Amino acid sequence: MSELLERMGAGARAAARSLASATAGEKNAALECMARALLEREEAILAANRADAEAAAAGGMTKSLLDRLSLSPARVAGMAAGIREVAALADPVGEIVEGGRRPNGLRIQKTRVPLGVVGIIYEARPNVTSDAAALCLKAGNAVILRGGKEALRSNAAIADALRAGLEAAGQNPDAVQLIPDTSRETANAMMRLHGVIDVLIPRGGAGLIRAVVENATVPVIETGVGNCHIYVDRAADLSMAAAITVNAKASRPSVCNAAETLLVHADIAAQALPVIARGLKDAGVQLRGCERTREILNDPAVLPATEEDWAAEYLDYIMAVRVVPSLEAAVDHIAAYGTGHSECIVTDSHAAAEAFTARVDAAAVYVNASTRFTDGGEFGLGAEIGISTQKLHARGPMGLRELTTVKYIVYGDGQVR
């Protein structure tokens, strides 16, 4: 397998060198061919996905995770549409970020350039294969993909289609490569391709991201872990609070921007909790509450929350609920258990909103809006590579610009030092 990875790496570096000088028109033409190839091969992709989904269901995969794995004609069409949306975005490569002329006459331009070869390790979400390929290609990068074993057939069928599209456009198909082995050993070997992979992006659960951060010898951008909170302030509108909470938790619980914990100010808890809990119950969400929450709701179906619940990224129809005495206590709770992804306050108080946004440390902080908007498409970036929860290089939804770096281009007329 090490020989295969070395061959894939050599192919990716050759493709990256070619893409670095490709024009926006050439890259857009390749993206259009990739989108068309997905649609032309829809039947094969769906057949592969059915085999993956059947095997995963037989293995006990949860309903919410099966939803992430499963494709449909509409989702394949959505993947193709996502590629075309990326093609429609402005090309960041070659953008002059800043520049000027020095007293000695040198003209210095800080210019946006591709990262080179991007490695992505992800779990059972086949749409990541097309999203990642499209974004990396538009930003002038080659990509080496390593998906989860549950989606191997699906990912292989999608990658084959994308490579066929690249060939049809006259581009090097090694710009998009999928590692066919999903073993831990191969993942570890990929993490150590120093000098081959320029940056590694893990996209998945806490365990995957921790493994990559602890084992990689190539630079890593952490993405994805989302223990997101909704804080209902004492000045909140109750109907708004209920609508936002239900949407943030139940619209798609298997994604990283879904809310996992509800915090409610003690002054409004007796009025707010029954309203919000009713909406969550109707959406099929199981609650795990603090002692005060359980007293107010007086419902045996609300289980006692444990310390582990406050830190949990459920990715399921489960939500932890805590009554807090103040906004400061809510901020402290988020600081203790949050993962720096997306946090929300529901309030009609401008002062409370300002205090929350100033003090909560996260990639996205919302006032009166669902955390489910933390998404490249919703932010106008096109399909995203993931949500970065770290602070260096990129933070929040990672679109095209976050898949580039900069170099300084210096023009002179004979200056020496």
Side-chain angles (χ1 to χ4, degrees):
M1 184 52 64
S2 60
E3 292 181 3
L4 173 62
L5 289 178
E6 288 174 6
R7 288 198 303 273
M8 293 177 71
R13 295 213 73 81
R17 287 193 296 272
S18 175
L19 283 173
S21 59
T23 66
E26 289 169 339
K27 290 184 287 189
N28 290 343
L31 289 166
E32 173 57 33
C33 288
M34 290 161 65
R36 193 180 305 130
L38 279 182
L39 297 175
E40 290 171 350
R41 299 192 180 200
E42 177 188 294
E43 186 175 336
I45 291 169
L46 292 178
N49 183 252
R50 281 193 296 272
D52 282 335
E54 288 168 5
M61 180 178 280
T62 65
K63 178 183 176 182
S64 60
L65 293 180
L66 273 172
D67 175 64
R68 289 203 306 186
L69 171 62
S70 299
L71 296 177
S72 64
R75 287 189 176 180
V76 174
M79 289 159 56
I83 293 176
R84 287 175 169 141
E85 287 170 7
V86 171
L89 296 172
D91 187 350
V93 177
E95 174 190 342
I96 298 173
V97 179
E98 59 186 18
R101 191 176 294 276
R102 299 293 297 150
N104 62 5
L106 289 177
R107 182 160 55 91
I108 300 175
Q109 292 181 351
K110 187 177 183 181
T111 306
R112 201 172 293 283
V113 296
L115 288 167
V117 178
V118 177
I120 301 178
I121 298 180
Y122 55 107
E123 294 177 333
R125 293 188 67 177
N127 66 295
V128 174
T129 304
S130 63
D131 288 352
L135 282 164
C136 286
L137 187 116
K138 182 64 180 272
N141 303 301
V143 63
I144 297 176
L145 302 158
R146 191 273 189 185
K149 65 180 185 297
E150 299 86 356
L152 180 58
R153 301 175 188 87
S154 306
N155 291 335
I158 294 166
D160 286 347
L162 299 175
R163 287 170 60 84
L166 284 167
E167 283 195 287
Q171 296 291 335
N172 187 340
D174 284 345
V176 176
Q177 298 182 76
L178 176 76
I179 297 175
D181 187 313
T182 60
S183 68
R184 182 173 299 177
E185 292 75 20
T186 300
N188 287 337
M190 182 184 181
M191 297 175 203
R192 296 185 175 93
L193 288 178
H194 190 75
V196 175
I197 292 177
D198 293 291
V199 64
L200 188 61
I201 303 173
R203 182 166 175 176
L208 169 65
I209 294 170
R210 183 169 56 251
V212 173
V213 170
E214 291 175 355
N215 292 290
T217 61
V218 299
V220 174
I221 298 177
E222 297 181 47
T223 70
V225 177
N227 184 14
C228 307
H229 299 74
I230 304 293
Y231 165 58
V232 178
D233 185 52
R234 64 194 298 179
D237 177 278
L238 295 190
S239 60
M240 179 189 292
I244 287 173
T245 304
V246 172
N247 177 264
K249 174 71 263 184
S251 62
R252 199 172 181 192
S254 62
V255 294
C256 62
N257 59 21
E260 305 290 16
T261 298
L262 170 65
L263 304 173
V264 182
H265 195 292
D267 289 357
I268 201 174
Q271 295 77 40
L273 277 174
V275 175
I276 299 172
R278 190 178 309 119
L280 290 169
K281 185 176 182 179
D282 290 344
V285 178
Q286 178 198 87
L287 301 183
R288 300 180 182 179
C290 68
E291 184 177 347
R292 179 60 180 145
T293 296
R294 299 182 75 232
E295 287 176 359
I296 292 171
L297 295 178
N298 192 28
D299 182 350
V302 180
L303 303 179
T306 66
E307 185 70 14
E308 288 74 23
D309 286 307
W310 307 131
E313 185 188 25
Y314 296 114
L315 302 175
D316 205 348
Y317 289 91
I318 305 170
M319 192 170 207
V321 186
R322 187 174 212 170
V323 176
V324 292
S326 63
L327 182 149
E328 290 73 20
V331 171
D332 289 344
H333 179 103
I334 293 169
Y337 299 103
T339 54
H341 194 295
S342 302
E343 310 294 355
C344 165
I345 180 174
V346 183
T347 186
D348 286 338
S349 165
H350 178 73
E354 290 293 294
F356 189 85
T357 57
R359 296 182 56 192
V360 169
D361 185 13
V365 183
Y366 292 85
V367 178
N368 296 333
S370 171
T371 57
R372 289 280 286 110
F373 286 103
T374 307
D375 174 85
E378 295 293 339
F379 279 24
L381 305 177
E384 84 205 12
I385 208 79
I387 310 296
S388 172
T389 53
Q390 65 184 42
K391 297 183 181 181
L392 293 180
H393 176 69
R395 196 179 197 195
M398 291 184 61
L400 289 174
R401 279 181 172 77
E402 288 72 32
L403 288 171
T404 63
T405 184
V406 297
K407 69 179 176 185
Y408 288 89
I409 299 175
V410 184
Y411 296 92
D413 52 9
Q415 288 89 339
V416 294
R417 181 179 179 185

